[in-house]
Amino acid sequence: VWLDLLKPIVKQIRRPKHVVVKFVVKFFPPDHAQLQEELTRYLFALQVKQDLAQGRLTCNDTSAALLISHIVQSEIGDFDEALDREHLAKNKYIPQQDALEDKIVEFHHNHIGQTPAESDFQLLEIARRLEMYGIRLHPAKDREGTKINLAVANTGILVFQGFTKINAFNWAKVRKLSFKRKRFLIKLRPDANSSYQDTLEFLMASRDFCKSFWKICVEHHAFFRLFEEPKPKPKPVLFSRGSSFRFSGRTQKQVLDYVKEGGHKKVQFESETRHCKNLLSSESLNGSPRLPRHSSLIDEMFRGSGDHSPLATPLSPSSRSSSPGMRKSKTSHSDLLPPTTPEKRWTRASRTKGSISKDGSESMESHAPGTVTSHPQTGSLTGSPHLSELSVNSQGGAAPANVTLSPNLSPDTKQASPLVSPLLNDQACPRTDDEEEVRRKRFPTDKAYFIAKEVSTTERTYLKDLEVITSWFQSTVSKEDSMPETLKSLIFPNFEPLHKFHTSFLKEIEQRLALWEGRSNAHIQGDYQRIGDVMLKNIQGMKPLAVHLWKHNEALEGLENGIKGSRRLENFCRDFELQKVCYLPLNTFLLRPLHRLMHYKQVLERLCKHHPPSHADFRDCRAALAEITEMVAQLHGTMIKMENFQKLHELKKDLIGVDNLVIPGREFIRLGSLSKLSGKGLQQRMFFLFNDVLLYTSRGLTASNQFKVHGQLPLYGMTIEESEDQWGVPHCLTLRGQRQSIIVAASSRSEMQKWVEDIQMAIDLAEKSSGPTPELLASSPPDNKSPEEGMAVDQESEDDLSASRTSLERQAPHRGNTMVHVCWHRNTSVSMVDFSIAVENQLSGNLLRKFKNSNGWQKLWVVFTNFCLFFYKSHQDSHPLASLPLLGYSLTVPSESENIHKDYVFKLHFKSHVYYFRAESEYTFDR
């Protein structure tokens, strides 16, 4: 029962002596990054800690050990094994903690240097991705009398069987909530394909229990979905009908607006005292944590609600718009802005987290950059969503030879959609809707089946990626004698065993899926509706191949050093990247085996979360997860170094005017488009942020389409400040270096905040390093790879249009669709942390794409990787037919007015470009 602040306590608590009053969280934010103050995050961290101790926050052993390791780091500081074990012996953070002690100590060793604030942030980051985060189960029964549990979250009402979620009703689908005695009723909006209104009924223990849960649902709906506090219902003159209960207090939207206007009072929170080992003793696990002396603020932030709303409150359509992002537990005076730099650690501890959790059907829209005007000097259409008609290679290769790319994307050159090519509009290709429905009904509906199917579809793509190296690249190398034998022996012998192993692995998975679906060998008796045994067997079989995985770092460095030292090898690799089969930068394929280990780990975590411990597949899945987690932990450091090394070399291809970009110790942080204020006004520039220097460049008007470096600001001693009022330019920043200062403007508030956080973090890192370096980046010297092939570096850019054009014929082919160019045209930015998250969330499978201006749907094989969708006619095709870079796009679900009467449809849109895609199941749609 939540206390109502508008009513006297004596009326709510009948026997005060027998009542325990607890200070607990009411509304759980799905994105804690928008909790600005350290105190607020600390309070949420205490709640997570309490939920772990009480067994409410159920999760697998790896997640539990990781959560506890961050709690230990926050409480006693850096790793000391003896101290750790003594502390864990005295404090029980979870039932059966003893079995996890070694794992906790091992994870704690990785957190050296984390402050208590950073530990809280990481704790919440991991916790929010768990299925039981913030879930409070309310026992009930369905119409058949089956025992279930109901819960409410920011997205809607959830149904659990035990600790497994079996159904969810998003607020968008719910028309009305009510209760009659012990019966709790959910009325859903009528389905477009049927005329009846569906009403769901659940039976609870008593009327009081039922009314209490109904009140909680009304409060969650109002807080997360309404723009403003609902007005109280006028009291009837004669007699009342139903409850007058209403939500009172600020809604999420109102809290956000309040903070933006600067209405809240900043509170200093003394965090250094939290390193005292005895501060958070086991008392805090029993609901009485020792808090700083800010009782007035705490009372304001976490007050009980005095809410009034009618008994059967209809959820009107006008209440369906939700403000994306900020969710908070009953806060009125806490801030909801993105966190400052200490909490955003760019060491990428996010590697340990599970899959990205979804935010509900109507909260999925991502931040689209603001509208950008055309560049005054070049007339380039900076907002153009498509870089080519068939942008087959958005990450570094070029488009097919038969497609002409416009380097400038001028307004006169209207770019067609990448999905309207004749290849993708073959009318023979689509499957009819009736056939699709019949086919879908024949397949299993268990979530575990679709997880297993995801392993199969992504394994197909992984094999194709391995073949780019073992088959296509190797055969091209054998035809031309351009690669040293030492380099050949370093690359191919370390990839061929992997290809052979995963070919048989894929066959086993597909055979198991065929039995699961009953497509073949249906007469064979046995329990084939599982995948854990296949995964365990093959992951154990991968262990001997780890010796090859360790060599991939050497292979990547050997290839790039070979390209640096040989003009012939550089031309050969560049020409291979222009082939259709090489749809990503060549060196990206060398990272694929390490990335694949991450995918297996994520899939197994989802399976372990889905299966109850009594399930026949649970033990195998858990054993397989333990094996793959060990492999990932061993190779994790190598993978981070390789990713940074690969990204630096990829950026090097897009830049002219620098030579020593790739040096030991340099790490990439963010790239993106900003406007720089100069004597000519605001001019679009491309910025590149590293851990020691910030570069700004302009795009060249050359055949190579590279970016010319205009200036560099060492980060040592730099300061950053917002200066909108001073210059009268929205989202404006002043960067003051030791030698020069520049004024830049971002396209939106959110973009500015991302840059401020990352630049400030990079400045802090530079201050901690050895000290300032006089010249961080040297200008490109004359090319010394081969004297007879030397040519002048092309100097042409927007600011140097009079430079000689004699070198244009000798430049590399156009590379106008790399990540850098996508950010330039969409006027957005992307960080190394974003790249890491993108790696974890690669996906492959069939999607249906809606034909423009018709009801037909076309079946395509789609690969999602590197912020881009690649489209194939089938999974057997060796190269994509088209691609759609997604940076800058928004993701939503179609509204009722769009008349798309199909399940599992999502919508991608950027300005006037809109695409509809349809998945085969709820699980695939969520993924």
Side-chain angles (χ1 to χ4, degrees):
V1 177
W2 292 91
L3 290 180
D4 188 334
L5 290 191
L6 300 184
K7 295 181 181 177
I9 290 180
V10 291
K11 285 192 175 182
Q12 299 179 74
I13 302 177
R14 293 171 187 170
R15 299 177 182 175
K17 289 183 179 179
H18 303 286
V19 172
V20 177
V21 181
K22 290 186 178 180
F23 174 84
V24 290
V25 170
K26 187 167 195 175
F27 301 115
F28 283 80
D31 187 1
H32 66 280
Q34 288 141 338
L35 304 177
Q36 175 70 9
E37 293 195 8
E38 184 186 338
L39 170 59
T40 314
R41 286 190 295 275
Y42 170 55
L43 295 171
F44 275 105
L46 285 177
Q47 182 67 65
V48 169
K49 180 178 166 185
Q50 188 184 73
D51 287 353
L52 266 177
Q54 293 176 348
R56 276 177 168 173
L57 187 59
T58 57
C59 56
N60 61 47
D61 289 353
T62 303
S63 298
L66 194 55
L67 287 166
I68 296 169
S69 69
H70 283 295
I71 296 171
V72 172
Q73 175 70 21
S74 175
E75 292 186 7
I76 66 172
D78 285 345
F79 174 78
D80 179 324
E81 186 164 355
L83 192 62
D84 276 20
R85 296 195 183 276
E86 182 186 344
H87 183 78
L88 289 170
K90 292 179 181 176
N91 298 275
K92 293 297 177 188
Y93 297 105
I94 194 172
Q96 293 88 41
Q97 179 176 298
D98 295 343
L100 300 178
E101 188 170 309
D102 291 340
K103 216 175 234 185
I104 296 167
V105 172
E106 181 187 343
F107 282 135
H108 186 208
H109 186 264
N110 299 330
H111 306 330
I112 291 174
Q114 267 186 201
T115 64
E118 290 169 343
S119 297
D120 287 348
F121 189 87
Q122 294 298 332
L123 177 73
L124 295 173
E125 176 68 24
I126 298 157
R128 76 182 180 94
R129 302 187 188 286
L130 301 173
E131 189 167 65
M132 297 303 293
Y133 167 68
I135 295 299
R136 300 293 180 256
L137 298 176
H138 299 257
K141 292 181 181 179
D142 63 13
R143 278 179 174 170
E144 284 74 39
T146 307
K147 288 184 179 180
I148 51 142
N149 290 305
L150 297 178
V152 62
N154 63 294
T155 54
I157 298 170
L158 313 176
V159 183
F160 287 80
Q161 200 153 33
F163 290 106
T164 304
K165 186 168 73 175
I166 59 173
N167 213 339
F169 305 104
N170 287 342
W171 295 127
K173 295 179 182 177
V174 177
R175 186 178 66 84
K176 191 175 181 181
L177 294 175
S178 61
F179 71 95
K180 292 179 182 177
R181 296 184 180 87
K182 297 194 289 185
R183 291 184 298 144
F184 180 74
L185 305 171
I186 304 173
K187 291 188 178 179
L188 301 178
R189 297 188 184 280
D191 188 2
N193 296 325
S194 62
S195 57
Y196 66 89
Q197 295 181 359
D198 201 1
T199 301
L200 301 166
E201 186 178 306
F202 301 94
L203 194 68
M204 305 193 84
S206 69
R207 181 186 178 279
D208 287 348
F209 276 113
C210 201
K211 184 176 180 179
S212 174
F213 180 65
W214 172 78
K215 280 186 173 183
I216 294 168
C217 292
V218 171
E219 290 170 338
H220 273 74
H221 173 266
F223 182 76
F224 288 113
R225 302 278 292 183
L226 299 187
F227 281 139
E228 56 187 28
E229 178 184 356
K231 294 176 182 177
K233 186 180 180 182
K235 289 189 177 180
V237 179
L238 295 175
F239 53 87
S240 64
R241 184 184 175 189
S243 171
S244 61
F245 180 77
R246 279 265 195 271
F247 172 80
S248 70
R250 289 191 182 97
T251 65
Q252 170 185 268
K253 172 77 165 51
Q254 288 175 314
V255 175
L256 176 60
D257 293 342
Y258 179 75
V259 172
K260 280 182 178 175
E261 293 161 6
H264 73 295
K265 185 179 178 182
K266 269 278 186 182
V267 175
Q268 293 299 318
F269 175 51
E270 300 296 328
S271 61
E272 59 269 13
T273 60
R274 289 168 55 205
H275 264 324
C276 175
K277 164 177 161 179
N278 298 317
L279 179 65
L280 295 176
S281 65
S282 57
E283 291 174 354
S284 65
L285 298 178
N286 298 322
S288 56
R290 294 173 58 189
L291 296 175
R293 293 190 298 271
H294 299 307
S295 59
S296 61
L297 172 85
I298 292 169
D299 291 342
E300 278 292 338
M301 284 168 42
F302 294 87
R303 58 192 179 85
S305 61
D307 315 338
H308 300 285
S309 187
L311 173 60
T313 312
L315 305 185
S316 62
S318 62
S319 71
R320 285 203 282 157
S321 18
S322 68
S323 55
M326 316 350 150
R327 277 92 174 166
K328 190 142 181 59
S329 167
K330 206 57 193 167
T331 59
S332 61
H333 288 315
S334 190
D335 31 309
L336 299 175
L337 294 175
T340 48
T341 48
E343 284 70 40
K344 185 175 179 183
R345 301 187 70 241
W346 76 296
T347 50
R348 292 185 283 146
S350 60
R351 285 289 178 203
T352 55
K353 60 192 183 216
S355 60
I356 299 294
S357 59
K358 69 184 180 69
D359 218 26
S361 63
E362 292 199 342
S363 308
M364 290 165 61
E365 182 165 342
S366 58
H367 298 287
T371 307
V372 189
T373 55
S374 301
H375 197 288
Q377 289 178 315
T378 65
S380 66
L381 188 62
T382 56
S384 170
H386 304 301
L387 307 181
S388 69
E389 288 192 19
L390 278 181
S391 186
V392 173
N393 187 346
S394 74
Q395 296 288 327
N402 60 340
V403 177
T404 306
L405 294 170
S406 165
N408 301 330
L409 294 169
S410 65
D412 302 328
T413 313
K414 296 294 183 186
Q415 294 297 324
S417 159
L419 301 186
V420 297
S421 78
L423 294 167
L424 288 182
N425 283 325
D426 180 2
Q427 293 296 327
C429 181
R431 176 191 295 270
T432 67
D433 293 338
D434 292 338
E435 288 174 342
E436 190 66 21
E437 292 296 333
V438 171
R439 186 187 65 82
R440 193 191 298 171
K441 285 174 185 174
R442 283 204 307 262
F443 275 17
T445 55
D446 183 24
K447 182 180 176 180
Y449 164 77
F450 291 107
I451 296 175
K453 194 169 182 182
E454 182 184 328
V455 178
S456 165
T457 55
T458 51
E459 191 75 8
R460 283 175 183 169
T461 299
Y462 174 53
L463 263 181
K464 289 284 184 187
D465 288 349
L466 287 178
E467 284 167 10
V468 172
I469 299 294
T470 60
S471 179
W472 297 89
F473 189 55
Q474 188 169 11
S475 63
T476 313
V477 165
S478 61
K479 291 173 188 173
E480 296 184 36
D481 188 22
S482 54
M483 183 181 284
E485 287 299 324
T486 52
L487 187 54
K488 287 182 190 176
S489 62
L490 192 58
I491 297 175
F492 303 121
N494 285 308
F495 276 82
E496 287 164 345
L498 293 176
H499 180 265
K500 184 178 178 183
F501 175 84
H502 286 279
T503 302
S504 61
F505 187 10
L506 177 60
K507 282 181 183 175
E508 280 193 55
I509 295 170
E510 289 181 336
Q511 286 170 1
R512 175 56 57 85
L513 282 173
L515 291 168
W516 200 329
E517 296 163 0
R519 282 186 287 134
S520 63
N521 301 322
H523 60 282
I524 298 177
Q525 297 298 315
D527 180 18
Y528 293 109
Q529 297 191 354
R530 56 200 181 103
I531 194 71
D533 54 337
V534 178
M535 296 292 290
L536 177 60
K537 174 193 165 188
N538 283 280
I539 286 170
Q540 287 172 340
M542 284 170 61
K543 284 197 167 183
L545 299 175
V547 64
H548 300 293
L549 297 174
W550 284 107
K551 292 281 186 181
H552 290 178
N553 187 27
E554 294 176 36
L556 180 62
E557 290 182 2
L559 180 63
E560 292 299 343
N561 291 335
I563 289 171
K564 186 177 180 181
S566 165
R567 163 75 69 178
R568 189 175 179 185
L569 182 58
E570 181 190 31
N571 290 338
F572 169 78
C573 291
R574 185 194 66 207
D575 291 341
F576 180 77
E577 280 192 335
L578 297 181
Q579 293 186 28
K580 293 179 184 181
V581 72
C582 191
Y583 67 102
L584 299 171
L586 176 60
N587 54 16
T588 304
F589 292 99
L590 300 180
L591 295 169
R592 281 298 194 245
L594 295 182
H595 292 164
R596 189 60 180 150
L597 298 182
M598 301 267 319
H599 301 158
Y600 293 143
K601 180 171 177 283
Q602 282 196 337
V603 164
L604 287 162
E605 283 176 346
R606 282 198 291 276
L607 278 167
C608 289
K609 195 183 290 184
H610 170 68
H611 289 314
S614 58
H615 194 277
D617 208 23
F618 181 80
R619 183 173 291 183
D620 286 340
C621 289
R622 192 160 171 178
L625 177 60
E627 300 274 3
I628 200 69
T629 302
E630 184 184 346
M631 288 183 74
V632 168
Q634 289 171 353
L635 292 159
H636 183 242
T638 304
M639 180 166 59
I640 290 178
K641 289 176 186 173
M642 286 177 70
E643 285 179 345
N644 182 68
F645 184 80
Q646 182 269 331
K647 196 56 62 184
L648 290 176
H649 277 281
E650 187 181 334
L651 294 178
K652 184 181 171 186
K653 295 176 186 175
D654 279 307
L655 293 173
I656 54 174
V658 293
D659 182 56
N660 59 334
L661 184 69
V662 186
I663 58 170
R666 173 162 296 142
E667 298 188 43
F668 164 69
I669 298 176
R670 180 176 288 277
L671 66 88
S673 172
L674 293 170
S675 297
K676 179 177 173 289
L677 191 63
S678 66
K680 299 177 184 178
L682 282 172
Q683 294 182 309
Q684 190 183 8
R685 293 286 179 262
M686 198 69 190
F687 281 72
F688 299 82
L689 177 64
F690 303 92
N691 62 335
D692 55 355
V693 66
L694 176 67
L695 300 181
Y696 57 95
T697 68
S698 63
R699 195 183 63 150
L701 301 178
T702 67
S704 62
N705 218 32
Q706 290 169 294
F707 287 80
K708 179 191 171 186
V709 176
H710 277 274
Q712 50 181 297
L713 282 78
L715 296 177
Y716 188 87
M718 181 190 282
T719 58
I720 180 172
E721 62 188 51
E722 295 187 22
S723 50
E724 290 185 11
D725 297 336
Q726 183 181 351
W727 298 100
V729 178
H731 322 307
C732 184
L733 301 169
T734 301
L735 306 175
R736 302 188 191 279
Q738 291 184 332
R739 300 184 187 177
Q740 69 173 119
S741 299
I742 62 170
I743 296 101
V744 298
S747 61
S748 65
R749 187 82 192 172
S750 60
E751 274 294 300
M752 183 188 79
Q753 197 65 39
K754 291 174 189 175
W755 280 105
V756 169
E757 289 174 16
D758 282 353
I759 292 173
Q760 189 59 57
M761 175 183 63
I763 291 170
D764 295 342
L765 288 170
E767 295 288 344
K768 292 175 185 175
S769 66
S770 55
T773 44
E775 268 307 319
L776 289 152
L777 290 166
S779 299
S780 299
D783 190 12
N784 57 4
K785 289 177 185 172
S786 180
E788 69 272 14
E789 291 177 345
M791 59 182 182
V793 174
D794 185 24
Q795 297 295 317
E796 188 168 317
S797 71
E798 286 111 336
D799 288 354
D800 196 5
L801 298 178
S802 60
S804 168
R805 294 178 183 244
T806 55
S807 61
L808 289 183
E809 296 77 35
R810 307 293 301 278
Q811 285 291 335
H814 171 67
R815 298 180 68 252
N817 49 2
T818 65
M819 186 62 64
V820 180
H821 288 84
V822 175
C823 287
W824 173 269
H825 290 292
R826 306 276 171 81
N827 204 29
T828 186
S829 67
V830 64
S831 71
M832 194 64 201
V833 174
D834 297 331
F835 281 108
S836 300
I837 294 171
V839 160
E840 295 176 8
N841 290 284
Q842 296 179 63
L843 207 57
S844 310
N846 287 310
L847 284 179
L848 295 167
R849 194 227 356 156
K850 187 178 183 296
F851 279 117
K852 198 173 183 180
N853 304 323
S854 84
N855 292 323
W857 293 80
Q858 177 187 23
K859 188 179 179 185
L860 296 168
W861 176 259
V862 183
V863 174
F864 174 49
T865 183
N866 291 42
F867 305 101
C868 191
L869 292 176
F870 294 92
F871 301 92
Y872 303 71
K873 268 197 170 182
S874 80
H875 68 86
Q876 294 164 335
D877 291 0
S878 60
H879 59 83
L881 301 172
S883 68
L884 181 64
L886 294 183
L887 285 176
Y889 266 73
S890 294
L891 174 69
T892 56
V893 293
S895 63
E896 291 178 2
S897 61
E898 288 167 275
N899 291 322
I900 296 179
H901 307 309
K902 296 289 179 186
D903 293 329
Y904 318 130
V905 176
F906 60 91
K907 173 182 170 186
L908 286 167
H909 50 100
F910 177 87
K911 296 189 175 177
S912 62
H913 296 266
V914 180
Y915 301 107
Y916 299 98
F917 295 97
R918 189 168 129 217
E920 64 178 350
S921 68
E922 185 178 5
Y923 171 80
T924 316
F925 169 83
D926 291 345
R927 288 287 294 128

